[in-house]
Structures are given as C-alpha cells and as structure tokens.
Amino acid sequence: MAVQEGTTGADYVKKNLPKGAKAVSFEDSALMMTAVKTGKVDAGVNDNGLVDYFVSQNPDTEVTKEFQTGESYGFGVKKGGNDALLKAINAGIADKGAYEAAHEKWFGSKSE
C-alpha cells in the first residue's frame, strides 16, 4: 500500500493496514501514484482531489474505495497580506450553494 510520507493518509494506513500487507512510503504524491500506475505497488492512499485528478488523466487507474478520516480542509492566507482574498474565501464558505458548486466542480461530489 503506497502512502505519501508525513500525511494523515499514511497514519491511517499504518493503523488500518491488513495483516500481511506492507506500507511503502514515497516523498510526494506524484511518486506514489506513479508507483501505483507502473505496478510497483498494488494500491495507494491519498486525498480525493489528488487521486481523482490522477485517475481522470490516467484511465488505466481507478478509485476503488473511499473512507472517512475525520479530516477537514482549511485555507491559509497571510495575515494582513491579502484582505481581498480572505474576504472572497470567507464569502464563498458562507454561501453554502457556491461552496457546494465549487466542491462538486473540483472534487466531483458534494461535500459531506
């Protein structure tokens, strides 16, 4: 099972790896997904956005399982650095319809 080093996906795999399976760590997601595509590993775990995009560009790969980790995503904006961007992000989050539309556009499904 391929994982990206230092991620919550790697932590999840370590806690839930089936008996007899082995975790293989990669420095970044591109190396991890290439290992899956080339058959160096049987499968990999990473964030939906990254994996979904990779699958869309590589039709010989697929997402076979999704699982809940309790994670949430956040936005980072430099304090006092870009007030207009911060305002736009906050407005987008507050507008549930706009947020759902953006989530569906970029992640392929409505948020959970």
Side-chain angles (χ1 to χ4, degrees), residues 89-104 110-112:
I89 290 170
N90 286 337
I93 292 170
D95 180 346
K96 190 68 172 163
Y99 179 83
E100 292 296 337
H103 194 283
E104 189 164 13
K110 296 196 181 226
S111 66
E112 296 178 16

Side-chain angles (χ1 to χ4, degrees), residues 12 48 66-71 112:
Y12 181 89
N48 286 10
E66 291 187 27
F67 47 90
Q68 296 299 316
T69 62
E71 292 181 275
E112 296 178 16

Side-chain angles (χ1 to χ4, degrees), residues 15-86:
K15 291 178 186 172
N16 297 284
L17 194 63
K19 193 171 187 125
K22 179 181 171 188
V24 181
S25 294
F26 292 88
E27 279 186 52
D28 60 46
S29 61
L31 291 171
M32 185 208 77
M33 290 185 277
T34 299
V36 172
K37 182 174 173 62
T38 61
K40 183 174 181 178
V41 295
D42 294 323
V45 172
N46 212 314
D47 292 343
N48 286 10
L50 292 170
V51 173
D52 289 342
Y53 179 75
F54 185 82
V55 168
S56 76
Q57 302 301 304
N58 295 275
D60 57 333
T61 62
E62 65 180 328
V63 175
T64 59
K65 176 80 175 157
E66 291 187 27
F67 47 90
Q68 296 299 316
T69 62
E71 292 181 275
S72 298
Y73 284 91
F75 296 93
V77 179
K78 183 179 178 184
K79 197 172 193 175
N82 194 335
D83 292 337
L85 175 60
L86 179 60

